Amino acid sequence: FDRVLGTAILERGWDVLTVMIVLAILLVFKWQMFGDFMVTGIWNPLKSALGYKVFLLLALIGAASVGGLWFIYHTREKYRMCAKIVSKVKGFVQGLATCLKIKRKGLFMFYTLLIWAMYWLESVLVTAAMPETAQLDLADALFIMLIGSFASVLPLPGGMGGYHFIIRSAMTLIYGLGASVGIAYAILAHESQALVMAISGAASYIHEAIRKPLKAFDAE
């Protein structure tokens, strides 16, 4: 379980890293258009909502966590509970390190690029489907996709609500479109993606449920 959890967090961390790299490249070439929104639409609301005290509290929690881990590690031979915690952490780290043991790294990178290309294509198609946003180009669709990805870091189920707020703000502040256009775009993009995930997940579950009994029957 520890290794599986570490692998799941690694997968999410790889997604975040990919988003940040692509966003940084886009901002370098399109800063005049998208830079102001990143400051006024993302950073300033986040700073005003949380305040500097929250960042200070997070720093203190981080320092206390590091100190606690140091104590647990150096007392693992003395206390059984500390030894058990160290064992769990090692399993977690082994899960994170799976990226270094991937046998087919090139295929992994290809699939990563393909997945994000499909997300980009979805953004392009939704943009083209709405008359109010049909004039937006590929770079606009890519930026909308990337800022929408920030909703995944919010403690909301599937980014519900947060994604719609970010997209609406981008449509209003950058492109001068009405809030209703932003909400309509967000609903089309977010809910269609959720529907595809639900259908794919159900199909995968049914496939696995059928495959396992067949494999057991063949083994007999």
Side-chain angles (χ1 to χ4, degrees), residues 2-208:
D2 308 320
R3 296 183 182 183
V4 172
L5 179 61
T7 305
I9 294 178
L10 171 66
E11 183 269 341
R12 174 61 64 176
W14 191 263
D15 281 345
V16 172
L17 178 62
T18 304
V19 169
M20 299 308 295
I21 291 175
V22 178
L23 182 60
I25 295 173
L26 186 62
L27 289 178
V28 168
F29 294 100
K30 292 278 189 177
W31 177 260
Q32 290 183 346
M33 186 173 186
F34 301 131
D36 290 339
F37 173 76
M38 295 300 298
V39 175
T40 61
I42 301 294
W43 173 250
N44 288 341
L46 184 65
K47 184 175 65 175
S48 61
L50 298 179
Y52 289 105
K53 293 182 179 179
V54 175
F55 292 105
L56 178 60
L57 178 61
L58 291 176
L60 292 175
I61 292 175
S65 299
V66 172
L69 290 175
W70 182 89
F71 173 80
I72 290 172
Y73 179 78
H74 285 83
T75 57
R76 65 188 185 281
E77 297 180 356
K78 184 176 181 181
Y79 301 107
R80 184 178 179 182
M81 180 60 68
C82 292
K84 189 173 183 180
I85 293 175
V86 170
S87 176
K88 294 288 184 181
V89 171
K90 285 183 177 179
F92 178 76
V93 172
Q94 288 176 354
L96 292 176
T98 52
C99 63
L100 303 176
K101 302 177 182 179
I102 297 175
K103 296 181 180 179
R104 305 170 71 180
K105 294 182 175 63
L107 188 61
F108 175 79
M109 294 298 299
F110 173 74
Y111 282 153
T112 299
L113 295 175
L114 182 61
I115 288 171
W116 283 103
M118 292 299 100
Y119 281 131
W120 187 7
L121 177 61
E122 181 203 23
S123 182
V124 171
L125 294 177
V126 175
T127 299
M130 297 179 58
E132 296 85 354
T133 59
Q135 76 281 3
L136 302 182
D137 58 19
L138 295 176
D140 296 317
L142 179 61
F143 180 74
I144 293 172
M145 179 204 76
L146 292 174
I147 62 170
S149 301
F150 286 129
S152 63
V153 304
L154 300 175
L156 300 169
M160 182 68 69
Y163 177 86
H164 303 72
F165 171 78
I166 292 176
I167 296 299
R168 185 194 66 182
S169 300
M171 292 294 185
T172 303
L173 296 177
I174 296 180
Y175 304 109
L177 300 174
S180 59
V181 176
I183 292 297
Y185 180 98
I187 291 174
L188 282 175
H190 188 272
E191 273 56 66
S192 62
Q193 186 181 123
L195 182 62
V196 170
M197 289 183 178
I199 295 174
S200 302
S204 177
Y205 180 82
I206 294 173
H207 176 266
E208 290 298 313

